[in-house]
Amino acid sequence: MKFAILLTVAAQGLVVAGAVEAAGTGKVAAQAPATDAPVILSDGATRVAEWVATAQDNHALPYIIIDKPGAAAYLFDAKGKMLAHAPVLIGIAPGDDATPGIGTKNLSEIGPAEKTTPAGRFLAKFGVAAGKQRVLWVDYATSVALHTIPPGNPKDKRKERMLSPAIDDNRITFGCINVPKIFYNQSVSPRFRKKGGYVYILPDSKPLEDVFPRLRVQPFLNAAAGSTDAVAGQ
């Protein structure tokens, strides 16, 4: 897997820190709060992070980037500073679109090919799910939420999958995004509790620009901003 270092860009308000990549695996280590070490993100996560920070697409709300190919979550504050990152569990089936009407189905009615975590930009807010469990709803219409590992079937071995150095075994959910408790309780919940925030889910197979069309114009916006700065400095 190809990786790029996401550098600190003060002019864009993009500040990142924290050791992400587990040695030799390409997988995010278990909870990793910010440190002085540089963060290593995939090319796709880097592009989305830079775009969101530069364009302020998050509208002054905190946001999370879910890198499905890397099985990782990156949490940013409203100003684009990375606060924490963690491994995630995602839908069993690769795919970037939710099956129409899947939000109305019982879990027992969902087929293997329908257990996908859809890609896209979502405004996420906390709400109540089945069993009166409070979750961060990423897309309520398709029943995709971000939450900790549920009790579930012990045969799934979700904790072991999350902690393992491999990435392929992180595909086990029906479509929801499972994260470590410490990441959820100490990092996500305090910042999303009041007004919610955005969740950007990277695609498995679709071109990044198809999922986030505004990425196509970002280079032109960066060039225009550079020209304005040059004129102002004359």
Side-chain angles (χ1 to χ4, degrees):
M1 181 179 294
K2 186 177 180 181
F3 287 91
I5 295 179
L6 183 58
L7 301 174
T8 299
V9 185
Q12 299 176 350
L14 180 60
V15 183
V16 297
V20 174
E21 188 179 358
T25 67
K27 182 172 180 177
V28 169
Q31 166 70 359
T35 70
D36 293 334
V39 173
I40 301 176
L41 283 78
S42 66
D43 289 346
T46 298
R47 289 186 62 197
V48 171
E50 290 177 343
W51 156 58
V52 175
T54 303
Q56 298 181 1
D57 184 78
N58 57 309
H59 301 294
L61 291 174
Y63 57 98
I64 301 171
I65 294 176
I66 303 294
D67 186 347
K68 286 200 293 178
Y74 305 96
L75 171 67
F76 296 79
D77 69 10
K79 295 182 179 180
K81 178 181 179 181
M82 183 181 288
L83 302 174
H85 40 78
V88 297
L89 301 181
I90 54 177
I92 292 175
D96 299 316
D97 298 301
T99 301
I102 195 168
T104 62
K105 292 185 176 182
N106 295 321
L107 292 181
S108 59
E109 299 174 321
I110 299 176
E114 297 178 304
K115 298 176 181 178
T116 60
T117 300
R121 172 183 182 270
F122 304 92
L123 178 57
K125 293 186 177 182
F126 272 100
V128 179
K132 297 183 179 180
Q133 178 190 9
R134 188 170 173 79
V135 299
L136 182 64
W137 283 111
V138 175
D139 187 21
Y140 186 82
T142 58
S143 295
V144 175
L146 185 148
H147 54 78
T148 58
I149 295 175
N153 186 345
K155 292 183 179 180
D156 286 347
K157 296 183 178 180
R158 295 197 181 194
K159 290 183 179 179
E160 292 84 350
R161 290 170 179 270
M162 184 174 284
L163 294 173
S164 79
I167 291 176
D168 292 344
D169 64 355
N170 285 49
R171 292 185 178 273
I172 188 61
T173 78
F174 278 69
C176 284
I177 303 159
N178 291 175
V179 298
K181 285 185 178 180
I182 188 172
F183 178 77
Y184 186 81
N185 293 332
Q186 296 185 11
S187 299
V188 176
S189 184
R191 292 168 180 84
F192 280 69
R193 185 182 299 129
K194 291 183 179 180
K195 297 182 179 181
Y198 285 91
V199 176
Y200 299 86
I201 303 179
L202 273 58
D204 285 318
S205 56
K206 283 186 175 182
L208 204 60
E209 292 81 0
D210 286 0
V211 178
F212 307 108
R214 295 179 186 176
L215 281 173
R216 293 191 177 95
V217 301
Q218 192 59 41
F220 301 101
L221 297 178
N222 291 343
S227 299
T228 301
D229 291 341
V231 171
Q234 292 179 358

